[in-house]
Amino acid sequence: MTVTRRAAVLGKPIAHSLSPVLHRAAYDELGLTDWSYDRFEVDEAGLPAFLDELGPEWAGLSLTMPLKRAVIPLLDEISDTAASVDAVNTVVLAEDGRRLGDNTDIPGMIAALREHGIEEVGSAAILGAGATASSALAALSRVCTGEVVAYVRGEARAAEMRRWGERLEVDVRTADWADAAEALRAPLVVATTPAGTTDALAAAVPERPTTLFDVLYDPWPTELAARWSMFGGAVVSGLDLLVHQAVLQVEQITGRSPAPLEAMRHAGEKALAAR
């Protein structure tokens, strides 16, 4: 009997995760009938024991909050991309027992932008701070040739974004969240805030908006994204990001390439529509 190869997404909370839908769709399309992909609610305290109990049938893991930094000391090696933002969202469990960490969020962001025709911009704006904002800065380090303005609440977050800019070699200027409407005139706007945070900005969308990358996907569209589209601007969604980063995860964990992007996107869209 063929031993089922296993993979899963870990985090807390985890019930909302679309990762099982995307990865299972990939396995179906690739004919990987002996593979399974599940979800487990695991927090930082429970992560070491969970990893130690994994058997040889396990091929890899996807990680969401709050585990992306907590996992790093438990790994044998991490990629330069993951090290650049101190965040791992993908663990490949090698046949020799090593645990290898990577970050597919950053190349996933770049791939999502390129799919919408964004190869290079002269400047950009980021709404928010935190882990997703640092990943956005890392992606912008390869897309944006000029200044990135980060709109944040409080000097502590502003200082953190400036530190990330120095580390990632991005020209970062910070501005107060009270002036966030000014961000909407940038050639590329990346919204990294929780649901509802940018709703009040929808009324400030300019008549000819450029490109908005809103990392949310549920609920979708956000009020900002809906108004942006209504005015004819290009919108890159959180589902675009989720699918592109999952494609890279599937390729790393299964060793099969290319992963079926369109089948995974269709499965994600169907699952969201059903919610």
Side-chain angles (χ1 to χ4, degrees):
M1 180 179 175
T2 303
V3 176
T4 298
R5 297 290 279 155
R6 299 193 67 184
V9 60
L10 315 181
K12 184 176 182 178
I14 201 63
H16 69 287
S17 176
L18 272 184
S19 291
V21 170
L22 302 181
H23 285 252
R24 290 170 187 168
Y27 297 170
D28 287 346
E29 193 74 12
L30 293 169
L32 299 176
T33 56
D34 56 342
W35 281 70
S36 68
Y37 189 99
D38 303 295
R39 63 164 68 90
F40 294 94
E41 187 162 289
V42 179
D43 61 14
E44 297 104 318
L47 184 59
F50 186 95
L51 292 177
D52 289 343
E53 291 169 5
L54 298 179
E57 73 276 14
W58 281 87
L61 301 167
S62 308
L63 301 177
T64 185
M65 299 307 291
L67 304 179
K68 292 183 179 184
R69 289 186 179 153
V71 75
I72 292 176
L74 308 175
L75 303 177
D76 297 294
E77 182 182 325
I78 67 171
S79 68
D80 291 343
T81 302
S84 73
V85 291
D86 292 335
V88 165
N89 77 330
T90 307
V91 176
V92 175
L93 302 167
E95 291 184 3
D96 62 7
R98 288 184 304 150
R99 301 168 180 169
L100 310 176
D102 194 14
N103 185 309
T104 65
D105 286 330
I106 295 166
M109 284 186 177
I110 294 169
L113 286 168
R114 285 178 175 164
E115 186 177 46
H116 285 76
I118 306 299
E119 298 278 349
E120 184 177 288
V121 292
S123 62
I126 292 180
L127 298 172
T132 305
S134 61
S135 291
L137 268 183
L140 288 172
S141 72
R142 308 179 200 182
V143 175
C144 183
T145 59
E147 182 182 68
V148 176
V149 184
Y151 291 82
V152 300
R153 287 189 174 95
E155 179 51 35
R157 290 182 176 180
E160 182 180 11
M161 289 299 286
R162 290 194 293 268
R163 285 194 296 270
W164 278 115
E166 291 174 7
R167 178 169 172 173
L168 295 164
E169 298 182 346
V170 180
D171 180 12
V172 174
R173 176 168 63 86
T174 55
D176 191 270
W177 183 262
D179 299 319
E182 296 175 4
L184 308 187
R185 302 189 180 279
L188 171 62
V189 182
V190 185
T192 69
T193 52
T197 308
T198 62
D199 287 356
L201 296 176
V205 172
E207 288 187 7
R208 294 183 179 179
T210 49
T211 300
L212 170 68
F213 191 162
D214 194 326
V215 302
L216 295 173
Y217 63 85
D218 187 19
W220 186 261
T222 62
E223 289 191 26
L224 180 60
R227 191 166 178 89
W228 201 275
S229 294
M230 186 175 72
F231 278 48
V235 175
V236 186
S237 74
L239 183 61
D240 293 324
L241 165 60
L242 192 66
V243 170
H244 277 284
Q245 66 82 26
V247 160
L248 298 170
Q249 287 187 333
V250 168
E251 292 174 353
Q252 289 190 30
I253 292 171
T254 68
R256 297 283 295 272
S257 183
L261 172 68
E262 291 308 323
M264 295 168 70
R265 189 200 312 276
H266 177 71
E269 290 171 343
K270 184 177 179 181
L272 285 176
R275 288 187 176 181

